[in-house]
Amino acid sequence: MEKMNHSSAEAEAEAVEPLRYLSKGEATAIESELLKDYRFGQQQLIEIWGQACAIAITKAYPLGSLTKKQPTVLVICGPDQHGSIGLVCARHLRIFVQLINDAYNLVIDAMLGTEADCSNIKEPYSGILVTLKQVKTPIASVDVPSGWDVEEAKQDGINPEVLISLTAPKKCAMNFSGKHFLAGRFLPYDIQKKYELNLPDFPGSDCLIEL
């Protein structure tokens, strides 16, 4: 019996694989499969991700932790799907403002995502990035911090306190040292297995987990 228990423990230890970090191509392929093969709707995915982002924000920054007189949050939304996720997040938080300054408790970066070319960021987004590098207000980034290369962290980019990875974390987040959340519970098991994502067990009925 003792030998069997020992073998079982070894097998369990061997079965635990490290979490997979996705390249830009892999992230795009998974999203394409969700839309075409699993019949997810584009808006459905945006709603899932946006709600998960809002929940992650409330976990990382409970209302009581916001120190400014007014508990305001700035949500910066870009032109593509990333911006749409930011708008859903803002709707769930019920806060949406338009100017960047130190009066806000928190900045949510939903400006540039995996589809952006970080080597060719045009106005107004290049100017906003300059401002985000200078503000002292905490930043929480959605999936990929704006200005970062998906494949690796950009040394001169913004420095968020919180990162909310969607589906699975991207390669640029491998060395992220801040508070890191993952919203990937909705992924079908076959996709998780195909891409060897090795997602962690999500607690209870939660749609996201802190890594």
Side-chain angles (χ1 to χ4, degrees), residues 23-126:
S23 66
K24 182 174 182 176
E26 289 167 335
T28 301
I30 288 176
E31 183 174 335
S32 179
E33 286 190 38
L34 288 172
L35 294 171
K36 294 178 181 178
D37 299 339
Y38 292 89
R39 303 299 182 185
F40 278 82
Q42 191 78 53
Q43 188 60 38
Q44 182 183 9
L45 289 178
I46 290 170
E47 288 287 337
I48 289 171
W49 288 327
Q51 181 189 32
C53 288
I55 293 171
I57 293 299
T58 60
K59 287 179 178 290
Y61 300 96
L63 192 60
S65 71
L66 302 180
T67 58
K68 306 289 185 183
K69 186 175 181 180
Q70 296 294 328
T72 52
V73 175
L74 172 65
V75 183
I76 303 175
C77 300
D80 299 312
Q81 176 172 280
H82 217 58
S84 299
I85 295 168
L87 288 172
V88 173
C89 174
R91 172 158 49 79
H92 282 284
L93 292 173
R94 301 182 67 185
I95 301 170
F96 184 58
V97 292
Q98 297 177 342
L99 300 173
I100 306 176
N101 62 47
D102 289 333
Y104 302 107
N105 289 272
L106 171 68
V107 171
I108 299 174
D109 161 35
M111 190 167 64
L112 304 173
T114 55
E115 66 272 18
D117 179 3
C118 67
S119 65
N120 187 29
I121 299 173
K122 295 181 171 60
E123 289 291 353
Y125 308 109
S126 58

